[in-house]
Amino acid sequence: MSLYRNSAWFLKGLTEFTKNGHLSASKRFVEKDLEVSVAGRSFMITGANSGIGKATAMAIAKRGGTIHMVCRNKDKAEEARADIVKETGNKEIYVHILDLSETKKVWEFAEGFKRKFKALNVLINNAGSIMSQRDVNAEGLEKSFAVNVLGVYILTKSLIPLLEKSTDPRVITVSSGGMLVQKLRIGNLQSERGRFDGTMVYAQHKRQQVVMTEQLAKTHANIHFSVMHPGWVNTPAVANAMPDFHRSMKDSLRTPDQGADTVVWLAISEAATTNPSGRFYQDRKVVPTHLPLAWTHSSPLEEQKLVALLEDLAKTFQPH
């Protein structure tokens, strides 16, 4: 079945996830959806110093939004901030240094942010990690899980009270079409059993992000949650983590701006919030979270259990 699943996914990717897929989809885009001013609204973007994150920050800054760039590397973040200010003329761009793999620090950052800032309209969970081999953080958690799943959960949950106090609050998580080949598995969250395949572990994390989004949308009705697939995008992260794929597909990969288009649309357009909360998007459209006949569905009980496990883990590292 996994052979069918992988083949079906790759064929879908060749037609939909590429640069040409975006060009084809863009024929139905409504340009006025993005012709808005977001002056006075604030946006937190993780991994905002390169790739999709930087392209998203640039597009929103051009429309007057206040940007909180959450980045791991101070030098790269400051360089990206300077680029954004220079190109947009918007000086309301703030850099925050945080390594999402350091679980306790994610809590501390979010709690500190809530004390310092009175509003946050949009949270964009963009930062991600693909590891070539299993590694653990200071808390003993597998690093890519800490970044892709637990870090996203803690940051989102901690900022929900601030989001709920703000007008038209939204949470967008950048997932991946790779999650379509994965069925939710909650019995090996730390990738302790079996051979560690970083790309498949990442795809599983992206499935977990989809489930997390669906569950949070049910329990926090005042916030518009969404999760999206940016397509196959030519970013430094893809080049580093999947060099063979990047080399063979380079001419077909989307630009970071094309990859960021749906993130920006979900973050600023009125049209996005006419769809129900908790949905999965590709090229500004709600799409299914499973391939046909791929046997990747999980039970509601398993999906609730994932969030319960994350909640318990998150509390373990919460500062008192």
Side-chain angles (χ1 to χ4, degrees):
M1 180 50 68
S2 65
L3 180 62
Y4 159 76
R5 204 185 285 165
N6 291 341
S7 303
W9 174 80
F10 192 71
L11 288 171
K12 181 182 176 67
L14 287 175
T15 54
E16 296 180 24
F17 304 165
T18 55
K19 191 189 295 180
N20 286 341
H22 181 267
L23 292 172
S24 175
S26 68
K27 290 170 185 163
R28 59 172 166 75
F29 291 175
V30 179
E31 282 317 306
K32 71 174 182 8
D33 282 357
L34 299 188
E35 290 170 6
V36 294
S37 166
V38 287
R41 284 177 67 75
S42 61
F43 301 77
M44 180 184 289
I45 307 168
T46 65
N49 60 276
S50 68
I52 293 165
K54 185 181 178 185
T56 300
M58 189 77 80
I60 294 171
K62 279 179 182 168
R63 292 163 175 83
T66 296
I67 308 286
H68 294 282
M69 302 171 63
V70 178
C71 306
R72 189 180 55 180
N73 183 303
K74 191 174 193 306
D75 292 343
K76 287 180 181 175
E78 292 292 355
E79 192 180 321
R81 180 192 178 274
D83 288 346
I84 294 165
V85 170
K86 185 179 177 186
E87 187 156 330
T88 67
N90 183 345
K91 294 196 174 102
E92 296 293 302
I93 317 293
Y94 302 96
V95 166
H96 307 268
I97 302 306
L98 172 68
D99 185 337
L100 281 160
S101 75
E102 297 176 354
T103 306
K104 284 179 184 163
K105 288 187 179 171
V106 179
W107 270 120
E108 288 163 6
F109 165 74
E111 295 302 315
F113 188 90
K114 285 189 293 191
R115 286 193 295 271
K116 188 171 181 183
F117 297 95
K118 297 292 171 274
L120 178 65
N121 303 96
V122 182
L123 168 63
I124 299 170
N125 292 307
N126 164 72
S129 170
I130 305 179
M131 305 289 289
S132 57
Q133 57 190 41
R134 190 178 184 278
D135 194 9
V136 295
N137 66 6
E139 290 92 356
L141 298 169
E142 192 276 312
K143 270 191 178 177
S144 61
F145 169 79
V147 173
N148 300 331
V149 185
L150 191 60
V152 169
Y153 182 79
I154 290 172
L155 189 62
T156 304
K157 278 294 297 247
S158 181
L159 292 172
I160 278 173
L162 185 58
L163 286 156
E164 286 182 330
K165 284 195 299 188
S166 310
T167 56
D168 185 17
R170 309 181 189 193
V171 174
I172 299 130
T173 299
V174 179
S175 180
S176 164
M179 71 93 194
L180 291 165
V181 302
Q182 287 284 318
K183 183 181 191 295
L184 176 68
R185 301 194 191 286
I186 57 174
N188 190 26
L189 291 179
Q190 303 295 321
S191 305
E192 289 163 301
R193 295 195 302 278
R195 187 177 72 86
F196 186 89
D197 178 338
T199 308
M200 286 300 109
V201 168
Y202 177 79
Q204 173 62 211
H205 293 162
K206 295 297 163 176
R207 169 63 71 189
Q208 291 169 15
Q209 287 179 347
V210 170
V211 171
M212 192 197 308
T213 298
E214 291 168 345
Q215 295 299 309
L216 289 171
K218 289 175 189 172
T219 49
H220 301 281
N222 299 335
I223 299 172
H224 191 270
F225 285 87
S226 56
V227 58
M228 57 79 69
H229 171 39
W232 291 340
V233 185
N234 191 352
T235 65
V238 171
N240 290 334
M242 296 184 281
D244 294 343
F245 173 78
H246 183 262
R247 200 162 36 247
S248 62
M249 295 295 295
K250 194 165 62 177
D251 294 338
S252 303
L253 298 179
R254 298 181 178 197
T255 65
D257 285 345
Q258 290 170 334
D261 176 80
T262 296
V263 186
V264 176
W265 182 82
L266 287 166
I268 71 173
S269 77
E270 276 186 39
T273 54
T274 61
N275 291 321
S277 183
R279 296 297 197 265
F280 180 61
Y281 291 80
Q282 178 185 306
D283 291 329
R284 303 193 194 182
K285 191 171 80 171
V286 174
V287 293
T289 55
H290 299 276
L291 294 168
L293 307 173
W295 300 97
T296 51
H297 291 266
S298 45
S299 70
L301 196 64
E302 283 175 293
E303 292 169 359
Q304 289 158 17
K305 182 83 188 293
L306 171 71
V307 175
L309 288 167
L310 293 176
E311 183 65 23
D312 287 348
L313 256 181
K315 280 180 180 163
T316 310
F317 303 105
Q318 188 170 7
H320 297 293

